[in-house]
Amino acid sequence: YRIGWYNSGVQYGGFTKAVYEYVKARYPETNLLVGALMNVNESETLEFLRGAIAGGLRGDYLSYHGYITERSGFDRIFTLAGKFGSILSMPKICTETSVLAHEDSEALRLLQRDYLQHIKDRLPSPMLEMVLWYTLAGNGWLNSDLQRGIEPTPAWTLFREMA
């Protein structure tokens, strides 16, 4: 299993340790996110994380991605936070989530709104510090945008009400 430029979690853990020590020595107030973990195969992701810990993983927050494709996945980001928390005591941030689909539809956009409402109802959570939606607009990646052109989606309308 490979993540980013690293062939193993151990290599990645060693990298984060070196960067963390360097940055904290010069800018102690800086918070560093590590991870950006994402893999469809959760056991490989957990194996990578265990390797990173063995390699000296250092950071202030563990970052991970938690995309879903259907309503049954609404709790996925919280389940992942719990699994990561069972092996690493570090605050967690889901830095990317959305409901993804190859085809845009009103049903998808309503499902995204319902998913965002579900997240809102579950936060704050003792296992998850923050959740970031990916993307705001313009990317078009699997119809995850909160805005279509200049038109807000139902999820964007809810998001604005939350601010």
Side-chain angles (χ1 to χ4, degrees):
Y1 173 60
R2 181 183 165 103
I3 186 169
W5 298 103
Y6 298 92
N7 291 318
S8 75
V10 174
Q11 289 177 327
Y12 180 72
F15 167 76
T16 65
K17 181 179 178 189
V19 169
Y20 187 87
E21 291 171 358
Y22 179 87
V23 171
K24 287 293 190 172
R26 286 152 184 82
Y27 309 99
E29 70 287 351
T30 301
N31 286 317
L32 297 164
L33 278 68
V34 295
L37 300 173
M38 184 196 175
N39 191 323
V40 174
N41 184 326
E42 287 180 19
S43 64
E44 288 180 355
T45 300
L46 293 169
E47 178 184 331
F48 185 89
L49 180 57
R50 286 185 188 97
I53 293 166
L57 181 73
R58 297 286 307 274
D60 298 300
Y61 294 90
L62 179 69
S63 160
Y64 67 97
H65 304 172
Y67 293 101
I68 63 170
T69 57
E70 56 193 33
R71 187 173 299 276
S72 63
F74 275 18
D75 280 325
R76 182 165 191 254
I77 63 172
F78 298 97
T79 301
L80 287 170
K83 289 179 180 182
F84 297 145
S86 72
I87 59 175
L88 178 65
S89 178
M90 182 183 291
K92 284 153 281 309
I93 297 175
C94 179
T95 50
E96 292 185 22
T97 194
S98 182
V99 181
L100 306 178
H102 290 286
E103 299 294 324
D104 197 1
S105 68
E106 193 59 30
L108 168 66
R109 298 309 181 159
L110 293 173
L111 186 62
Q112 289 172 336
R113 181 205 58 208
D114 293 350
Y115 178 49
L116 185 57
Q117 181 67 53
H118 182 78
I119 293 169
K120 178 185 175 214
D121 292 345
R122 296 276 318 262
L123 293 176
S125 167
M127 55 183 151
L128 186 55
E129 296 281 325
M130 183 186 302
V131 177
L132 303 175
W133 192 274
Y134 186 83
T135 71
L136 172 60
N139 181 308
W141 186 68
L142 293 173
N143 297 293
S144 63
D145 300 50
L146 285 175
Q147 218 173 307
R148 285 181 283 192
I150 60 169
E151 296 298 316
T153 65
W156 173 247
T157 302
L158 175 61
F159 184 78
R160 288 189 61 207
E161 292 170 5
M162 293 167 56

